[in-house]
Structures are given as structure tokens and as C-alpha cells.
Amino acid sequence: MLPCIRLGLASTLVAVALTTAPAAHAVSAPDPATAQSAAALVVTLRYDDSRATGWEAAVTAGVASWNANVDNVKLVRVSPGARAEIQIVATSGWPQATLGPVRPGGQARVELGSQAVTQGHDKTRIAAHEIGHNLGLWDTKPGPCSQLMSGSSAGTSCRNALPNATEQARVEAAYAAGAASRIPTDGRVLVDAG
């Protein structure tokens, strides 16, 4: 019986120590409503690159660049024939894309033109740049290599496929609080001829 009393006393002392611990050491459980609300603010856009033969690695890298650098919009690849907001195709002309921001259930197109590659431009930069148009970004030509949306004006030696802080902020603003679902695209196509 004595061991039980000691255990009870020890349990009481531990409980007192825990309840008097400084708040700085307390860890609160995440609020499920807040976590669900934050997840609901992420706009998911589906893309189909099944007709982008020869560009698969560039598309994957371009999408990864956007997914890693913006928080409130995510690009997700779908199986051929599945519903997708963004259709990505390989063409023989100059790269071009529909100006967004494309909204869920909307429709946009990226044409990855081989003429730019023939002139020496980087495929991954092209793919990321054209997807940037779908996300609502205009060209910033002429511009430095540090600006993804400067496109071909940065020259053939430019391999940067990452949006800079300004480009990231513009996409974040376009999709803030699900705003892209309320902004219609005008269907304008931007051709990125050198």
C-alpha cells in the first residue's frame, strides 16, 4: 500500500509541475478549422501535358518551379483525357500561352514552340515562362535573366526558370483568398516571338 501512496504523491507532484510550467514551453494543438481554412485557400489547377512530346522534363521542372515558389496555387498533372484547366502542347512555332489567371473550371493553353529551342532558348525556362502567362503574368520585355517573364529578351544563355519575388507576389495576389475563381480570363494569347 505504501508504494501506491508514493505513486499517488509522485503523480500529484508531476501534475502540479506541469500545470505551473511556463507558457513558453506549452505546445498547443493546431486548430483544425484554421488548418482546413488555409488548405481551402489553395487553388488547384490541373494540367494535361500528354501532347507535349519532347517537353516532358521541361514541363515537370517548370511546374515544380511554380509549385515551390507560390503557396496559394498548385499545379497538378492529370491523366490524358481527364478534365484540365491548362492544356500543354508541343508545336513547331513560337511559344505562346493564354493570359490568365486561369480559374478552376476554366480553360487555358500553353504552346511550347520549337522555334525558340532551335534558336537556343532553354526548354525549362520556356515552359515555366508560358505557365506564368496562364497564372496571370504579362511579359516584362526587355528584361534581365533574373525575371522569368522577360522571356527571350534575356538571351539564349539565360537558363533561369524561377519566378523572382515580384513575379511570385503577383501570382499570389491573383489567387489570394481564391480570387482567381472570380476573375475571368479574357482569352488573350501572348506569343513570345524572339
Side-chain angles (χ1 to χ4, degrees), residues 96-180:
Q96 56 186 314
T98 309
L99 179 62
V102 64
R103 58 187 182 228
Q107 216 170 6
R109 183 173 169 98
V110 166
E111 294 186 13
L112 300 172
S114 62
Q115 277 187 311
V117 177
T118 300
Q119 289 194 6
H121 294 283
D122 181 67
K123 280 184 162 185
T124 300
R125 179 172 168 84
I126 293 168
H129 174 92
E130 298 306 327
I131 292 167
H133 287 316
N134 287 173
L135 298 177
L137 298 178
W138 287 83
D139 285 322
T140 55
K141 295 178 180 181
C145 184
S146 60
Q147 293 175 347
L148 175 59
M149 300 313 293
S150 67
S152 61
S153 73
T156 56
S157 64
C158 181
R159 302 286 184 253
N160 174 40
L162 300 174
N164 67 20
T166 300
E167 293 163 334
Q168 292 171 26
R170 286 183 180 149
V171 170
E172 293 278 352
Y175 289 91

Side-chain angles (χ1 to χ4, degrees), residues 14-28:
V14 169
V16 169
L18 288 175
T19 57
T20 59
H25 297 290
V27 177
S28 62

Side-chain angles (χ1 to χ4, degrees), residues 26-55:
V27 177
S28 62
D31 178 14
T34 303
Q36 186 176 13
S37 173
L41 297 180
V42 175
V43 175
T44 300
L45 299 174
R46 298 160 297 182
Y47 71 93
D48 178 357
D49 65 349
S50 62
R51 295 186 298 152
T53 305
W55 289 81

